[in-house]
Amino acid sequence: MIMKEQPARRGMVKIMADQMNLDYTQLKNALQTFMKKRKQKAWGCVWISRQEKADREREELLNSYATQAPRDRGESTTLLIDAAIEHNRQLNTASSGLDDLIANARGILGGLQEQRMTLKGAHRRIMDIASTLGLSNMVMRLVEQRESQDRLILFVGMAVTLAIMYAVYYYFGK
């Protein structure tokens, strides 16, 4: 049918034919849905989608959390979800404790990183000062030897002083 049209109008006629075909399928689907609903109402049942049915069942289960206990034991209504609530509370407590622990660990790690950077800077400055003064390794070793010799002289002097004080106390103290 499109081939009978003029070449200039064929594109527009093709678009109109496609639009009519689309309208036909939409109207056909709407009519089928309407007929299905009408048929179900005529049979006395209400058409419910799976999602609506699942929502309704979920609400029924959530609202029916208590059951009646047997009368022969003399018990009253028992709650079925007490253990689950307690378990959930304990899990939440543990979770918040772990969150606090992780936050504390992150703070400690940040502090250690800052100290590392501070010590790196101090070490770098000391090395710069040492190189600026022109101190060689030999001079540094001599300073360390002198320090150990001074310490030895101090301890020997302290021991000699204690010995003299003891001798003075022993001979003149009686």
Side-chain angles (χ1 to χ4, degrees):
M1 191 162 153
I2 293 175
M3 299 311 264
K4 293 182 181 178
E5 291 292 325
Q6 298 174 0
R9 289 196 50 183
R10 282 185 190 164
M12 187 169 22
V13 170
K14 180 164 177 38
I15 291 173
M16 289 173 53
D18 290 341
Q19 184 65 36
M20 287 178 73
N21 193 7
L22 182 65
D23 289 343
Y24 167 74
T25 55
Q26 287 177 348
L27 289 172
K28 181 180 168 185
N29 290 338
L31 180 63
Q32 287 175 350
T33 305
F34 174 75
M35 293 301 284
K36 186 186 277 186
K37 285 182 183 180
R38 187 173 181 196
K39 186 178 183 182
Q40 287 176 349
K41 283 184 182 180
W43 287 348
C45 63
V46 178
W47 184 73
I48 302 172
S49 70
R50 287 183 184 171
Q51 184 65 35
E52 289 174 357
K53 185 177 180 182
D55 290 343
R56 191 173 298 157
E57 288 174 355
R58 187 179 309 110
E59 281 299 317
E60 288 174 11
L61 286 174
L62 290 175
N63 290 333
S64 64
Y65 66 92
T67 60
Q68 189 69 24
R71 298 273 182 203
D72 58 331
R73 289 188 275 169
E75 297 176 0
S76 64
T77 305
T78 59
L79 295 178
L80 297 175
I81 60 172
D82 282 343
I85 289 173
E86 179 64 22
H87 187 251
N88 187 22
R89 187 187 59 76
Q90 290 174 352
L91 286 175
N92 286 337
T93 303
S95 176
S96 65
L98 285 175
D99 289 341
D100 292 342
L101 183 66
I102 289 171
N104 190 14
R106 284 183 179 156
I108 290 171
L109 182 63
L112 289 174
Q113 288 173 342
E114 288 177 18
Q115 288 178 3
R116 177 177 164 239
M117 295 307 290
T118 302
L119 289 174
K120 262 186 171 179
H123 183 273
R124 189 177 307 121
R125 278 188 241 117
I126 289 172
M127 295 307 282
D128 288 344
I129 290 170
S131 67
T132 302
L133 294 175
L135 297 176
S136 65
N137 288 338
M138 179 85 165
V139 173
M140 293 300 285
R141 272 191 243 123
L142 289 174
V143 169
E144 289 174 2
Q145 283 179 352
R146 174 70 189 258
E147 183 181 328
S148 62
Q149 290 172 353
D150 289 345
R151 186 174 296 133
L152 181 65
I153 292 170
L154 173 71
F155 288 128
V156 170
M158 288 170 54
V160 169
T161 304
L162 280 176
I164 292 172
M165 289 175 65
Y166 179 71
V168 170
Y169 176 74
Y170 182 72
Y171 288 114
F172 296 113
K174 291 186 180 184

